[in-house]
Amino acid sequence: MMPFTYARASNVPDALRLARTTVGAKYLGGGTNLVDLMRETVERPEALVDVTALSAEIESKHGGGLFIGAAATNTALAGNRIVRERYPVLARAILAGGSAQIRNMATVGGNILQRTRCTYFYDDAARCNKRVPGAGCDAIDGFNRMHAILGGSPACVATHPSDMCVALVALDAIVHTAGSDGTRSMPLADLHRLPGGRPDVETELKPHELITAVELPALPFGPRSTYRKVRDRASYAFALVSVAAALDVADGEVRDVRLALGGVAPKPWRAWKAEGVLRGQPATEASFCAAAEAELADAAGLRHNGFKIELARRTIAAVLAELAGEQT
Ligand SMILES: Cc1cc2nc3c(=O)[nH]c(=O)nc-3n(C[C@H](O)[C@H](O)[C@H](O)COP(=O)(O)OP(=O)(O)OC[C@H]3O[C@@H](n4cnc5c(N)ncnc54)[C@H](O)[C@@H]3O)c2cc1C
Ligand code: SF4
């Protein structure tokens, strides 16, 4: 591990000021990802600015939405009564990740910005464009069973590892940030970038821009939502494929739907095409399969992960059928 300084911010301006004092400063949430990366010398920040004393509030908004401070732990969010009642997909997604100890430490801000679990990214003997821009990518012709089938590029096919983000993207979450240019807000679906030729640039955030909160709009059919994660082991395993879905069925028809996929792309993947195909259609297995087909039409398998295309198709259809079955 390289030498670094540590300071604890007491509020947002303090965090921004502390980060600005060192070019190579990074914010520290629970440290469950960043500290591992520092031990492997993949990340080498010269200063850590601890942001766990910032807002960890989880608060209902007028009109039925939810405000979530970026320092809220994953455990607090999954256990929150409003989340469990209004957005069960989010509670289930968080509980499908890591272990209780990791969720106790992990924060919402850190979970959103956790880095890929591509093994070549962690191995400094391997070629990795994300770690060393222009170095090449050993995953493309290497062991790529966990890698992307959607949204990858010839430079990088890593997947985004978060379960929580898949649910948040399905729920139209808005991310609030603060930086040297002031505050701003953007849909979480727009925060993470696809790799293109620059896999090292992972988000739209500017240097030292801080995530301060996440906001969920009201979703009347949010209680009819769920998350399914398909993985190699029941715990301590990242998703091969995961599906976050909320479904509103009336008179046998899909009135509305929210759908997102994890484990398949370099960012939490909102399934806009599938949603477009489903709205107004009969809530039947045939419609669910057609929606999955539409979303996966552009999917491309690598040498070891072609199975994910069929797995994603079946998981989407099964999750939608489960939610429809609860409403008939
Ligand atoms: C063994 C193991 C298994 C795991 N399994 C899963 C799993 O199955 N599913 C899953 O989703 N996750 C899993 N995780 C990952 C875990 O969820 C993340 O490590 C965690 O969510 C990161 O949160 P943190 O607060 O600890 O972030 P940190 O490690 O503190 O930070 C991560 C990144 O976010 C940045 N950051 C932190 N807070 C902010 C902020 N407010 N604004 C701007 N930048 C910020 C940091 O600078 C850093 O770059 C696993 C982790 C481990 C160690
Ligand atoms: S897939 Fe991305 S993270 Fe993995 S080795 Fe290639 S460039 Fe690096």
Side-chain angles (χ1 to χ4, degrees):
M1 202 183 265
M2 313 289 286
F4 60 90
T5 61
Y6 169 90
R8 190 156 205 245
S10 48
N11 53 42
V12 170
D14 194 31
L16 296 175
R17 180 186 59 77
L18 288 166
R20 268 198 300 268
T21 55
T22 315
V23 178
K26 290 217 71 159
Y27 296 119
L28 178 71
T32 59
N33 187 221
L34 180 54
V35 174
D36 277 356
L37 289 164
M38 288 168 68
R39 284 199 193 104
E40 301 292 335
T41 67
V42 175
E43 298 258 22
R44 298 162 186 239
E46 290 165 33
L48 290 184
V49 178
D50 186 335
V51 290
T52 53
L54 274 48
S55 173
E57 261 177 283
I58 303 172
E59 204 179 52
S60 194
K61 302 282 291 181
H62 288 300
L66 193 71
F67 171 93
I68 306 161
T73 64
N74 285 193
T75 296
L77 189 56
N80 181 274
R81 185 182 54 78
I82 299 167
V83 173
R84 291 160 69 107
E85 287 175 9
R86 293 191 206 154
Y87 309 102
V89 60
L90 178 57
R92 287 177 193 160
I94 294 171
L95 293 174
S99 64
Q101 291 90 336
I102 289 164
R103 296 191 295 269
N104 288 343
M105 293 298 293
T107 62
V108 166
N111 190 314
I112 292 171
L113 294 180
Q114 64 174 294
R115 306 199 66 193
T116 183
R117 293 281 158 170
C118 171
T119 48
Y120 300 103
F121 174 66
Y122 282 77
D123 175 3
D124 63 7
R127 293 180 308 148
C128 172
N129 286 320
K130 193 184 276 301
R131 189 164 27 76
V132 182
C137 169
D138 273 345
I140 302 242
D141 296 316
F143 186 61
N144 44 39
R145 184 168 180 274
M146 297 299 292
H147 289 72
I149 53 170
L150 286 164
S153 75
C156 180
V157 286
T159 51
H160 192 270
S162 170
D163 291 296
M164 182 191 81
C165 286
V166 183
L168 288 178
V169 160
L171 293 169
D172 293 315
I174 302 292
V175 177
H176 298 295
T177 70
S180 44
D181 299 336
T183 58
R184 61 177 178 145
S185 305
M186 70 185 93
L188 178 62
D190 296 340
L191 176 82
H192 298 97
R193 293 165 48 119
L194 291 178
R198 289 297 306 272
D200 54 312
V201 185
E202 294 174 356
T203 70
E204 297 295 338
L205 295 180
K206 298 185 179 142
H208 296 158
E209 193 169 353
L210 175 72
I211 296 180
T212 54
V214 171
E215 208 169 322
L216 294 181
L219 184 64
F221 58 102
R224 299 192 290 282
S225 67
T226 196
Y227 186 75
R228 189 177 296 186
K229 177 177 180 179
V230 184
R231 49 185 156 169
D232 286 326
R233 292 186 306 274
S235 75
Y236 258 22
F238 289 86
L240 291 165
V241 167
S242 68
V243 174
L247 186 70
D248 184 20
V249 174
D251 302 325
E253 266 192 11
V254 175
R255 197 157 50 179
D256 208 350
V257 60
R258 301 285 184 279
L259 193 67
L261 309 178
V264 295
K267 59 186 277 182
W269 191 263
R270 179 71 180 260
W272 300 108
K273 288 181 195 157
E275 290 182 12
V277 165
L278 264 182
R279 284 191 189 96
Q281 294 302 305
T284 58
E285 197 180 334
S287 305
F288 302 148
C289 291
E293 288 289 343
E295 194 60 47
L296 294 161
D298 296 331
L302 300 159
R303 187 160 170 216
H304 302 107
N305 72 353
F307 72 94
K308 281 192 179 187
I309 300 174
E310 184 59 23
L311 186 60
R313 224 178 252 136
R314 291 184 190 201
T315 311
I316 293 170
V319 167
L320 292 170
E322 179 190 322
L323 288 171
E326 288 166 7
Q327 294 173 57
T328 51

